[in-house]
Amino acid sequence: MNMDRRKFLKAAGLTTLVGLGGKGVFELLKPGTVEAEMAHEGHEEGGQEKGSGPKVRWAMLIDIMALNQEKIEKIVHTCHHLHNVPNWGDPKNEIKWIWEDEYEHVFPDSYNEYNHILAGLPFLLMCNHCDNPPCVRVCPVQATFKRPDGIVAQDYHRCIGCRFCMAACPYGSRSFNWLDPRVSLRKEIAQGRKLNKRFPTRMRGVVEKCNFCVERLAEGKDPGCVEAAPDVMFYGNLADPNSNVRKILKERVSLRRKLELGTKPSVFYLI
Amino acid sequence: MYDTGKVIIGLAIFACIFLFPFLYSHGSAAPKPKPSLDTPAIKALPQKKCVEDTKFMITTHMQFLNNWRDQALRDGNRWYVNKEGKKVWISLQNTCLRCHSNKKEFCDKCHNYAGVDPYCWDCHYDPNGSKL
């Protein structure tokens, strides 16, 4: 039998709907079970303050005061080049791993129109690699999962494109490939874009997001954004009280997005 | 018995139609493919050896690649230790296709013959090729 991935997923989806027996559907209807399972797995209090917590928890610090348009462009370009993220030039199909937005949208809960220090400043957004990631809870196939070092990884090989994770993420950090990304990449290459031949593309029907450059960390390199702007982006081990990032966090005022949701983001904005 | 003759003719026609595909394809099987090992990286090897022994690679490379994928992405460990104790960096594009830089004459040759079309190439690609 020769069935391609899309056909297989379509058939599987149909079967699930008909039988209403799919694990994803089932768990969504009964949230209690998910909670119980997570507590059982020990995800509930994986906080950085606890003694029995993880040894490594990667965090990213973004110095908003040092950001400017030129640096933003360099950071976004470096990241999207390294991971062959297409640029469709159309918000409907947009794929983004790291992108710019303004204070008003980044901190809608604490927005204050008289705050003339933050209003108007550029912010850089990316996956928050939450300590308590809602996307991981809802993924019916464990395509997205939290690594022991705190990075929320996305396994494209398992992604079935259900987009539950996109609905669950409060930060809009995930993008869906409505179209074959290679169509855009081929067009961009014809216009002079360079492909990063060390990294694969994605395909139509999968969700993608920032991966904290796991492929670079594995080689002992810094994440692409840090390499592009080392005076703006700092990464380090949040679980180690003597790490560079903990030292900076002691000295500077920092913000994290939508803390009231309990997701415990690993991305900090220095002001 | 009525119409014995017609039944026998009918049966004969049925047998012909039924057996046609078998008779037709008999003896005309395509020759076994010879995947080419003629690449600069393989020529430069002191010993013409794959990641594991050749027999294992021919029969098991599909499962082997799945294990590689899971070890790299799920376990976060990108160093594979082969049976001889040698460390190999796990990567389909950057390891397999660095030695086998002739995907068309190697992977594709066998796969076309066997009628398999690995979906890997929807995302992974030959870094030596000029086309995405």
Side-chain angles (χ1 to χ4, degrees):
Chain A
M1 186 168 66
N2 198 346
M3 202 183 212
D4 75 22
R5 189 181 137 86
R6 272 191 81 72
K7 280 197 207 123
F8 171 77
L9 289 176
K10 279 182 190 161
L14 216 65
T15 323
T16 307
L17 273 182
V18 170
L20 267 187
K23 197 163 171 272
V25 176
F26 194 63
E27 286 197 341
L28 269 191
L29 294 173
K30 285 176 66 186
T33 8
V34 184
E35 243 83 307
E37 252 176 51
M38 300 300 286
H40 175 68
E41 284 171 24
H43 282 254
E44 211 175 47
E45 220 18 272
Q48 63 270 38
E49 260 71 67
K50 259 188 30 186
S52 61
K55 285 205 171 60
V56 181
R57 181 181 164 203
W58 292 115
M60 186 69 74
L61 274 45
I62 307 178
D63 187 349
I64 291 307
M65 296 313 185
L67 259 186
N68 60 35
Q69 213 53 43
E70 194 189 330
K71 284 176 190 163
I72 287 176
E73 263 159 45
K74 190 168 174 210
I75 291 168
V76 173
H77 175 269
T78 305
C79 171
H80 287 189
H81 161 71
L82 283 172
H83 302 108
N84 297 322
V85 176
N87 178 7
W88 287 98
D90 156 14
K92 223 176 81 216
N93 298 316
E94 187 180 22
I95 308 285
K96 47 194 185 1
W97 284 34
I98 188 162
W99 69 102
E100 183 195 345
D101 208 337
E102 48 196 34
Y103 174 54
E104 186 178 340
H105 299 140
V106 181
F107 293 99
D109 40 354
S110 62
Y111 175 64
N112 155 6
E113 69 266 43
Y114 300 106
N115 186 338
H116 294 293
I117 300 173
L118 293 179
L121 283 184
F123 281 78
L124 262 183
L125 306 188
M126 57 187 269
C127 169
N128 276 294
H129 297 279
C130 304
D131 203 22
N132 190 10
C135 52
V136 170
R137 284 181 173 226
V138 298
C139 179
V141 293
Q142 281 162 43
T144 190
F145 60 100
K146 199 175 114 189
R147 308 196 331 163
D149 60 4
I151 294 175
V152 176
Q154 171 81 1
D155 185 344
Y156 304 98
H157 307 91
R158 292 206 192 180
C159 179
I160 57 169
C162 71
R163 291 180 283 133
F164 286 2
C165 57
M166 293 179 69
C169 176
Y171 306 106
S173 298
R174 296 172 160 269
S175 310
F176 183 67
N177 285 282
W178 291 101
L179 304 169
D180 178 2
R182 289 189 179 179
V183 170
S184 176
L185 286 170
R186 279 191 208 108
K187 208 170 85 198
E188 293 169 55
I189 289 166
Q191 291 163 356
R193 173 179 178 146
K194 286 258 181 314
L195 197 66
N196 175 15
K197 295 202 170 183
R198 295 187 60 78
F199 204 79
T201 68
R202 267 69 62 204
M203 67 188 284
R204 187 159 72 109
V206 296
V207 170
E208 62 181 84
K209 68 167 194 78
C210 156
N211 66 348
F212 215 98
C213 284
V214 285
E215 83 285 5
R216 292 172 61 88
L217 293 181
E219 287 184 279
K221 293 184 188 156
D222 291 343
C225 52
V226 173
E227 198 175 277
D231 56 333
V232 176
M233 316 280 300
F234 309 91
Y235 83 109
N237 183 2
L238 201 60
D240 172 6
N242 299 316
S243 67
N244 60 335
V245 291
R246 288 287 288 270
K247 277 189 188 130
I248 299 172
L249 288 174
K250 254 184 228 152
E251 288 159 13
R252 302 264 314 253
V253 178
S254 61
L255 294 171
R256 283 197 282 176
R257 294 182 68 198
K258 304 192 186 175
L259 272 180
E260 71 279 10
L261 298 177
T263 51
K264 300 185 184 167
S266 298
V267 175
F268 295 75
Y269 294 93
L270 304 174
I271 53 173
Chain B
M1 260 274 237
Y2 303 107
D3 295 332
T4 311
K6 281 184 192 156
V7 169
I8 287 173
I9 291 169
L11 275 177
I13 292 172
F14 172 76
C16 284
I17 294 172
F18 183 77
L19 290 174
F20 175 73
F22 299 99
L23 299 169
Y24 184 75
S25 64
H26 176 74
S28 59
K32 225 173 122 191
K34 281 204 195 69
S36 161
L37 294 168
D38 185 18
T39 72
I42 289 179
K43 272 198 192 126
L45 287 178
Q47 272 180 309
K48 304 270 171 284
K49 269 193 187 162
C50 197
V51 178
E52 293 289 0
D53 64 84
T54 313
K55 202 164 151 228
F56 174 87
M57 289 312 289
I58 293 176
T59 56
T60 324
H61 66 274
M62 332 73 205
Q63 290 96 313
F64 181 78
L65 279 169
N66 282 352
N67 296 344
W68 261 29
R69 178 190 66 198
D70 289 346
Q71 187 188 323
L73 303 183
R74 310 292 305 189
D75 308 338
N77 172 10
R78 297 198 185 215
W79 284 110
Y80 172 76
V81 181
N82 76 4
K83 287 173 199 146
E84 291 176 350
K86 237 180 81 190
K87 275 168 103 187
V88 182
W89 184 257
I90 292 183
S91 180
L92 176 53
Q93 266 169 244
N94 305 318
T95 302
C96 303
L97 293 182
R98 185 175 43 79
C99 279
H100 300 293
S101 55
N102 54 345
K103 176 174 168 288
K104 275 201 189 70
E105 299 303 314
F106 189 76
C107 316
D108 296 357
K109 253 246 155 83
C110 275
H111 293 163
N112 289 342
Y113 175 77
V116 283
D117 185 8
Y119 77 92
C120 320
W121 311 122
D122 285 345
C123 298
H124 296 269
Y125 50 90
D126 178 6
N128 312 287
S130 54
K131 278 228 306 271
L132 181 63

